[in-house]
Amino acid sequence: MDICKHDEYCGGCIYQGIEYADQLKIKEDQVMGLIEEKGVDAAETDRIEGCSNCYRYRNKMEYTFGDMVKDGEMTLGMHKKGNFMSIVTVDQCQLVDEDFNDILSYTLDFAKKMGYRFYHKKTHRGLMRNLIIRKGVRTKELLINIVTSSQDEFDEKSFADGLKKLELNNKIVGILRTVNDNLADAVVCDSLRIIWGRDHYFEKLMGLTFKVSAFSFFQTNIEAVERLYKEALDLIDGLEGKNVFDLYCGTGTISQIMALKAKHVTGIELVPEAVDAARENAILNGIENCSFIAGDVFEALKTVKEKPDVIVVDPPRAGIQTKALDKIMDYRVDQIVYISCNPKTMMENIRYMQMCGYRCEYLKPFDNFPFTKHIECVCLMSKAAK
């Protein structure tokens, strides 16, 4: 196993140098430990499912400009372990397509040659803030977004001309510039310009096509999430003729997959931009038995007159808030499928659902992000017999 050259300083991976089988054992033990700790009574638990490919699986990266040491040479990459102010250049990262590394190197060299300064987190002065690269794995399309402040001029044409000359394995379809003058160390879009090409790329997932824009959420590991989604849908006792609620639906990926069989799917998502993307993608795929609502799940469910036969939930890392969970429990559907990116909050929610008369029939962890700390889980909850 080749240990990443950035491992000493980069905080992205915590399991470098550990055999993949051992990584899976560590993560599986964490989930099983949480089941016991949180008092979850799982009728059946399955072994963790890993990735067939541990490398080059990420389809999105958000890099930050900065320096490794105070007043040092400009860097572009990830935050240093234990030091938020220091940025490590990660031009040989193992988790991304080689094209990402080449684009990063070019962008850093370009900024240095032009004499641009990076945006300093404390003084709030400087031009260069972030580089975001996104890739359509199945379409081999690249979307590049350079994030700057508005404090100085940025030569968009020269930047784009240089990118288009790079010898890459994938095809650049869009070069964008986001202007961000927000003081927080996060990418906030004050304005978005298309320097060249288009503002989106396309991806294919489980037979459907999805348009992914610059700031749309989309699954980071396409091949792994297909396995996870298939597992989740196979847990449902038939979708034909059923009304399905897909709560915390994001851009409606799994909503549209379920709509291929279900009578109707209602997706609810807090982020309006994600809902716009979901509606657009449903039209793109010719799916008419899907509707999407933008809003808080608890509040939005008050406006829906239809009653679900099945509920699928895929909440953020914080899990499902109690009032929303109470509302979900009130429907008393026979089956609830819970997809989670945070086993800890999932177990807390499952324990609460058990108290409300539901039973954890089946639970399975997935490792969709090798070398990192992240663990996904799928669970089937069934209404307990009286």
Side-chain angles (χ1 to χ4, degrees):
M1 176 181 291
D2 295 329
I3 298 178
C4 176
K5 65 162 283 189
H6 308 301
D7 180 54
E8 182 179 358
Y9 299 112
C10 177
C13 296
I14 65 170
Y15 294 125
Q16 283 288 333
I18 299 176
E19 292 295 333
Y20 189 51
D22 295 330
Q23 294 182 41
L24 292 176
K25 179 68 165 57
I26 292 168
K27 292 185 176 185
E28 183 175 273
D29 288 348
Q30 287 178 11
V31 173
M32 299 308 152
L34 284 168
I35 288 175
E36 184 175 354
E37 177 188 333
K38 299 298 180 181
V40 169
D41 182 16
E44 180 184 354
T45 58
D46 207 343
R47 301 297 303 271
I48 190 169
E49 183 165 336
C51 286
S52 57
N53 188 357
C54 300
Y55 301 97
R56 314 294 177 202
Y57 61 80
R58 286 194 62 93
N59 63 15
K60 177 188 176 184
M61 285 296 285
E62 181 179 305
Y63 304 108
T64 302
F65 284 91
D67 54 16
M68 181 70 166
V69 295
K70 187 177 180 181
D71 300 324
E73 186 178 32
M74 183 190 289
T75 54
L76 174 60
M78 308 297 289
H79 293 281
K80 182 182 176 183
K81 293 177 185 176
N83 189 339
F84 188 74
M85 292 298 292
S86 295
I87 301 297
V88 183
T89 295
V90 288
D91 54 0
Q92 295 184 44
C93 177
Q94 298 176 331
L95 302 190
V96 298
D97 190 298
E98 289 286 6
D99 285 355
F100 283 48
N101 294 329
D102 292 342
I103 293 166
L104 181 152
S105 295
Y106 161 77
T107 303
L108 181 57
D109 288 344
F110 176 83
K112 289 178 179 178
K113 288 176 183 176
M114 298 297 289
Y116 297 147
R117 296 180 303 154
F118 71 86
Y119 183 88
H120 199 281
K121 298 179 184 67
K122 288 188 175 180
T123 65
H124 304 297
R125 301 298 304 169
L127 178 67
M128 308 304 295
R129 299 198 67 162
N130 302 93
L131 171 68
I132 304 171
I133 307 174
R134 307 190 69 160
K135 172 190 170 184
V137 175
R138 305 276 167 69
T139 61
K140 297 181 74 68
E141 294 185 344
L142 293 171
L143 191 65
I144 300 168
N145 185 5
I146 190 75
V147 183
T148 73
S149 71
S150 64
Q151 294 176 19
D152 295 297
E153 294 296 321
F154 178 76
D155 191 338
E156 296 177 352
K157 185 178 184 304
S158 294
F159 176 65
D161 287 346
L163 281 173
K164 288 185 282 185
K165 291 177 183 176
L166 294 177
E167 294 185 7
L168 303 173
N169 297 314
N170 301 277
K171 179 184 177 183
I172 299 174
V173 296
I175 302 171
L176 315 175
R177 180 188 175 193
T178 294
V179 174
N180 173 21
D181 286 322
N182 193 280
L183 296 182
D185 187 42
V187 177
V188 177
C189 182
D190 294 333
S191 66
L192 180 67
R193 286 174 46 81
I194 300 176
I195 301 175
W196 177 85
R198 44 179 155 95
D199 64 354
H200 60 274
Y201 70 92
F202 290 99
E203 183 59 280
K204 295 183 181 296
L205 183 66
M206 294 183 77
L208 299 176
T209 300
F210 294 90
K211 175 183 174 182
V212 185
S213 59
F215 293 105
S216 290
F217 170 79
F218 203 73
Q219 298 295 336
T220 312
N221 186 341
I222 294 300
E223 294 181 355
V225 81
E226 276 193 336
R227 293 195 299 273
L228 185 150
Y229 281 173
K230 185 178 185 305
E231 182 85 26
L233 297 182
D234 284 348
L235 293 174
I236 300 172
D237 290 335
L239 285 168
E240 292 78 4
K242 291 183 177 179
N243 286 320
V244 184
F245 283 3
D246 182 15
L247 309 182
Y248 313 94
C249 70
T251 53
T253 309
I254 200 167
S255 304
Q256 294 172 61
I257 295 166
M258 292 190 292
L260 297 175
K261 293 183 178 180
K263 177 183 178 183
H264 188 270
V265 179
T266 302
I268 299 178
E269 167 60 41
L270 181 64
V271 182
E273 292 81 6
V275 172
D276 291 341
R279 290 169 178 157
E280 188 172 359
N281 281 318
I283 294 171
L284 178 67
N285 288 303
I287 296 173
E288 298 180 351
N289 59 330
C290 248
S291 58
F292 297 96
I293 302 170
D296 172 78
V297 165
F298 175 70
E299 297 296 335
L301 284 175
K302 295 178 183 178
T303 69
V304 182
K305 295 180 181 179
E306 295 81 6
K307 301 298 180 185
D309 300 303
V310 177
I311 295 176
V312 175
V313 296
D314 188 358
R317 293 191 61 77
I320 306 173
Q321 293 182 341
T322 302
K323 62 179 184 179
L325 200 50
D326 284 337
K327 184 69 175 173
I328 293 167
M329 295 291 95
D330 287 344
Y331 287 111
R332 306 304 297 167
V333 297
D334 289 336
Q335 292 186 314
I336 299 172
V337 174
Y338 194 136
I339 302 170
S340 172
C341 60
N342 185 348
K344 182 176 183 292
T345 54
M346 179 191 207
M347 299 308 171
E348 292 168 353
N349 285 160
I350 290 175
R351 183 180 180 184
Y352 189 85
M353 294 165 80
Q354 287 178 168
M355 294 167 57
C356 296
Y358 275 80
R359 182 171 185 250
C360 178
E361 298 286 355
Y362 176 83
L363 192 149
K364 179 178 180 177
F366 287 78
D367 177 35
N368 291 358
F369 307 103
F371 298 105
T372 76
K373 65 181 179 181
H374 301 293
I375 309 170
E376 311 274 312
C377 281
V378 169
C379 170
L380 174 64
M381 301 296 294
S382 293
K383 186 172 62 176
K386 292 184 179 180

